[in-house]
Amino acid sequence: MRCADEAREAGQYPTAVSHYSQVLEVDAENSEAYLRRAQVHRLQKNHQSALSDVNRALRIDSKNAEALLLKGEVFEGMRSYKDASDTYRRALATHPGHRDLENALNRVQSKQKAIENPFCAADTMDRLRASSTTKAFMEDAAFVSKLEELRAEPNKLMRHMEDERIVTALAVLMNINFPTPGGGGGGGGGGGGDPLVRPPPQTLEDLEDLTGEPGEVHQTRTNAPTRVAPPDRSKALEEKEKGNAAYKKKEFDVALQHYDRALELDPTNITFLTNKAAVYYEQADWEQCLRTCDLAVERGREHRADFKIIAK
């Protein structure tokens, strides 16, 4: 255990994991080893492995405050803020007045509120003034007035989405950073150039405008086309069309099933992910929408998708 702890403190995470695993081979009921290995997995952003280990620690000692706190933190890292909040609440029922758990619950509740209305966070104006992307926008009284309106009445967001500066501000507040061709920035209320991001889709056709026929030819960032032809590409596109049809009928759960099936058949096509995000947006499931968008951006970069597809 000492070697594992030393490796963890030194930032040698794979070595630490290996040592903790050796401890557990000898003592499979060592809850502390599971907990410390979970901490290392969390530091590596291996959230599923961290969650698995912390659950094992809790099966051995269900009232361990440190394990309950870590479980909530892992959920936060996964952006599963409701699960994190529920975990902290249950933990506080067992450990009332626990300062770290109370602070964690307050923190995650603030994150939940920011997702529901990113403009209402206490530091919204400061963050937008500090960001090089939105700093200039904050000098416009009309733009600031729109922000104040959105802070008070978030249901008016769609009314202001035609202003590219509002969309850009939303991206900054939600920590969504999209690269732009040639290093150009976002537009500013009617200025030239492509906006940093575009408004949320109103229809699936809007999503697919920039992707063309998905899966055919994906343009890479170096403008060198790469042909992607998964074995089940045609079946994946059939599932996507079924999902689109369900979406248009507002049968959102059915649509999600078809998009998931399409992703199983062709995991390289991020259009299926953006279509899923559109469904979550319609369902007002902002947390899941954001997580799906993050995954689409990550997978798009992994497969060197066109900038416009990633920005979408």
Side-chain angles (χ1 to χ4, degrees):
M1 185 78 85
R2 180 176 57 81
C3 292
D5 292 341
E6 290 176 352
R8 182 185 63 176
E9 292 300 322
Q12 299 170 355
Y13 299 140
T15 301
V17 168
S18 177
H19 283 308
Y20 287 130
S21 298
Q22 290 174 22
V23 171
L24 289 165
E25 287 177 6
V26 176
D27 180 7
E29 296 299 307
N30 191 322
S31 63
E32 190 63 27
Y34 280 121
L35 182 58
R36 296 185 190 183
R37 191 172 69 175
Q39 292 169 339
V40 176
H41 284 314
R42 176 174 172 267
L43 290 170
Q44 293 178 298
K45 299 189 184 301
N46 294 332
H47 300 303
Q48 290 296 339
S49 296
L51 187 60
S52 176
D53 272 357
V54 78
N55 280 336
R56 289 178 180 178
L58 286 168
R59 279 198 291 270
I60 298 169
D61 181 3
S62 63
K63 296 182 179 181
N64 187 314
E66 186 179 359
L68 291 166
L69 178 63
L70 179 60
K71 183 173 182 177
E73 290 171 342
V74 171
F75 278 132
E76 283 190 69
M78 299 167 69
R79 292 190 175 180
S80 297
Y81 297 135
K82 184 180 183 303
D83 290 329
S85 179
D86 291 344
T87 299
Y88 295 140
R89 288 180 187 278
R90 287 194 297 268
L92 282 167
T94 305
H95 303 280
H98 193 291
R99 182 170 299 180
D100 289 341
L101 287 169
E102 288 178 343
N103 290 339
L105 180 59
N106 290 334
R107 180 181 65 241
V108 79
Q109 286 177 333
S110 295
K111 290 180 179 180
Q112 286 179 295
K113 188 175 181 181
I115 286 179
E116 292 170 2
N117 180 8
F119 294 102
C120 76
D123 62 347
T124 291
M125 298 302 192
D126 290 339
R127 288 179 62 192
L128 294 178
R129 289 190 184 97
S131 170
S132 60
T133 303
T134 54
K135 182 178 180 180
F137 302 165
M138 300 300 290
E139 298 175 3
D140 183 346
F143 177 76
V144 174
S145 178
K146 289 181 180 181
L147 293 180
E148 294 291 357
E149 182 179 7
L150 289 171
R151 287 167 68 85
E153 300 181 75
N155 59 314
K156 292 186 177 180
L157 177 61
M158 294 308 300
R159 179 186 303 177
H160 294 299
M161 290 298 267
E162 292 182 359
D163 186 340
E164 294 172 359
R165 298 173 300 171
I166 293 293
V167 182
T168 302
L170 183 62
V172 169
L173 294 173
M174 298 179 75
N175 296 316
I176 301 174
N177 299 310
F178 294 118
T180 55
D194 291 334
L196 179 68
V197 292
R198 298 194 179 191
Q202 297 304 299
T203 65
L204 292 183
E205 286 78 2
D206 291 341
L207 277 173
E208 295 173 0
D209 282 346
L210 290 177
T211 62
E213 184 62 25
E216 234 170 50
V217 175
H218 290 231
Q219 195 74 12
T220 67
R221 297 178 188 175
T222 56
N223 295 322
T226 301
R227 188 164 297 277
V228 180
D232 293 324
R233 172 180 173 274
S234 60
K235 292 182 180 179
L237 293 178
E238 288 177 7
E239 291 293 335
K240 184 207 73 170
E241 292 304 323
K242 291 177 182 177
N244 290 0
Y247 175 94
K248 292 172 183 177
K249 296 176 183 177
K250 297 190 180 297
E251 297 174 353
F252 297 132
D253 289 339
V254 175
L256 288 173
Q257 291 174 9
H258 286 299
Y259 295 141
D260 283 336
R261 178 57 179 155
L263 282 165
E264 290 175 5
L265 295 166
D266 182 4
T268 68
N269 193 328
I270 66 172
T271 301
F272 306 148
L273 287 170
T274 55
N275 283 8
K276 283 187 67 175
V279 173
Y280 292 130
Y281 186 86
E282 291 288 345
Q283 293 177 316
D285 189 344
W286 315 123
E287 182 177 322
Q288 193 63 38
C289 179
L290 179 59
R291 291 174 63 186
T292 305
C293 287
D294 282 344
L295 178 59
V297 171
E298 178 183 338
R299 193 165 295 179
R301 288 172 175 167
E302 177 184 346
H303 294 287
R304 301 182 64 79
D306 183 88
F307 282 110
K308 292 182 178 180
I309 300 176
I310 295 176
K312 199 57 148 175

